Amino acid sequence: MENRGTIILEAGSILPEICGVNDANIGVLEELLETRIFSRGNELVIETENPEVKERCKRLVAELENQAAGGRAPTPDLIRAVHATLVSGDTGDMELLRGVSINVPGSYNRIYPRGLAQARYVRAIQTGSMVFSIGPAGTGKTYLAVACALEEVLSRRKRKLVLTRPVVEAGESLGFLPGDLTQKLNPYLRPLYDSMEAIIPHEVVSRLQENGAIEISPLAYMRGRSLRNCVVILDEAQNTTREQMKMFLTRLGEDAKAVVTGDITQIDLPRKSSSGLIHAARILKDIPEIHFSSFGPADVVRNPLIKKIIRAYERDGDEPH
């Protein structure tokens, strides 16, 4: 058929990776290019008469081949990110998407950003000294910050990783939880352990804590300290007060790197307007040395269902009750 465009891959072994398990990636390609695509031998066949779509498909597959050759398996998220970059026409974005990764010594796998927003975020952490990351749950804010920090510490570029969160009660009373102070605080800090243990083995995390190379503590314990030659991550920053945020930001000493993450739609403070994260984003946005990364529902990577849940809540917030 004349309306068919054929893409012949140089290495037939790459085709299964591009197609994905049970041809799941083919479905993503068809969705993005709005035409039927199928595999045949070491060929991809696209059924369209539109030369622009044929050319975009060829460029998309060529970039996926480059990514696969570099050790990065094509995933639906990667395919969507590459396609969005091709549509934008920004070659700098493609180089960023191709070149950014996190290599944590002793980790399970090399970590790649799953989209341009994540790639910009990772690059900002790796090259800058202070980064704010604001967006909904499931966008990888904490996970990528922890991965970058572990890369710095385990590569011995930084002496220590300090992880902190504000302890704010979201509908439950901390005082009624069982156990001593450490046991009461553990549920608040558990998500930080989860992020680390998704990257390196539990035994390594425990050893680094014993050696003082990893410290996890509530934000209140940061007062009066000066943190030097370390990476400091403030998680759930939407629940800091203005005073707490100022206190945290002024703890940074020589050769320190800070990452502040938060979701301004999940503020548990009595008054949302008192959030230190919202205040800091407003008054610090014009300081060139501080990078702000913003994520939206489209950047959710945890589970496709999360995107739909977030959008449902956004719609409900716009409707009268």
Side-chain angles (χ1 to χ4, degrees):
M1 295 178 62
E2 292 184 0
N3 65 330
R4 286 184 177 179
T6 302
I7 302 170
I8 301 176
L9 303 180
E10 293 294 331
S13 61
I14 291 179
L15 181 60
E17 292 187 61
I18 291 178
C19 293
V21 178
N22 296 324
D23 286 346
N25 290 347
I26 294 292
V28 177
L29 290 169
E30 290 180 326
E31 172 194 331
L32 294 171
L33 298 169
E34 298 180 334
T35 188
R36 182 169 180 260
I37 299 173
F38 60 91
S39 60
R40 182 179 62 195
N42 69 327
E43 300 176 348
L44 278 181
V45 179
I46 176 170
E47 292 191 339
T48 180
E49 295 179 344
N50 188 326
E52 189 276 330
V53 174
K54 290 179 183 179
E55 179 59 26
R56 183 155 33 106
C57 183
K58 289 180 180 180
R59 292 175 62 197
L60 177 55
V61 171
E63 179 59 30
L64 294 176
E65 282 190 277
N66 290 335
Q67 297 278 354
R72 184 176 184 182
T75 63
D77 286 322
L78 177 61
I79 293 170
R80 290 189 176 95
V82 171
H83 180 263
T85 306
L86 287 174
V87 171
S88 74
D90 193 326
T91 57
D93 281 346
M94 189 65 76
E95 292 176 4
L96 178 67
L97 188 65
R98 189 184 301 138
V100 173
S101 66
I102 309 169
N103 187 20
V104 181
S107 66
Y108 300 112
N109 295 292
R110 182 182 289 267
I111 298 166
Y112 295 95
R114 296 168 68 176
L116 274 173
Q118 285 196 354
R120 295 188 184 105
Y121 176 44
V122 170
R123 176 60 57 84
I125 296 174
Q126 291 176 334
T127 60
S129 57
M130 183 175 292
V131 178
F132 282 76
S133 174
I134 302 173
T139 50
K141 303 183 302 296
T142 301
Y143 175 79
L144 292 172
V146 168
C148 289
L150 288 173
E151 180 182 39
E152 292 281 309
V153 172
L154 291 173
S155 300
R156 301 186 183 279
R157 293 194 292 268
K158 289 288 186 286
R159 175 180 60 87
K160 188 175 187 177
L161 164 58
V162 179
L163 299 124
T164 185
R165 302 178 100 192
V167 176
V168 177
E169 299 167 11
E172 298 182 63
S173 176
L174 182 64
F176 286 102
L177 292 176
D180 57 21
L181 180 61
T182 300
Q183 292 170 322
K184 290 176 187 289
L185 293 172
N186 188 61
Y188 289 88
L189 305 177
R190 184 67 243 174
L192 299 174
Y193 288 98
D194 291 341
S195 293
M196 287 191 291
E197 291 172 5
I199 300 167
I200 56 177
H202 170 78
E203 297 75 17
V204 177
V205 175
S206 298
R207 186 174 71 250
L208 290 171
Q209 279 195 274
E210 291 171 1
N211 296 338
I214 291 177
E215 176 187 341
I216 303 180
S217 67
L219 179 61
Y221 292 8
M222 294 293 105
R223 188 173 298 277
R225 300 181 62 182
S226 180
L227 301 168
R228 299 182 180 87
N229 191 27
C230 62
V231 184
V232 192
I233 299 173
L234 171 56
D235 193 36
E236 298 290 344
Q238 75 275 6
N239 288 326
T240 62
T241 64
R242 295 184 181 189
E243 294 76 14
Q244 286 175 323
M245 179 62 77
K246 179 181 177 182
M247 179 271 291
F248 170 78
L249 295 177
T250 55
R251 297 307 93 204
L252 299 183
E254 184 180 355
D255 200 28
K257 185 188 295 280
V259 184
V260 179
T261 71
D263 178 0
I264 59 175
T265 68
Q266 297 192 31
I267 298 173
D268 298 317
L269 297 170
R271 291 187 305 111
K272 291 189 176 183
S273 60
S274 64
S275 170
L277 180 59
I278 293 177
H279 180 249
R282 178 172 59 82
I283 68 170
L284 303 178
K285 66 180 186 300
D286 295 327
I287 298 178
E289 294 85 358
I290 300 177
H291 177 89
F292 284 86
S293 289
S294 297
F295 295 96
D299 300 309
V300 171
V301 297
R302 182 180 295 166
N303 185 319
L305 179 60
I306 303 298
K307 295 181 183 180
K308 297 180 180 179
I309 292 172
I310 292 171
R311 289 195 173 107
Y313 272 93
E314 287 180 341
R315 289 193 301 269
D316 183 68
D318 293 335
E319 295 176 0
H321 295 277

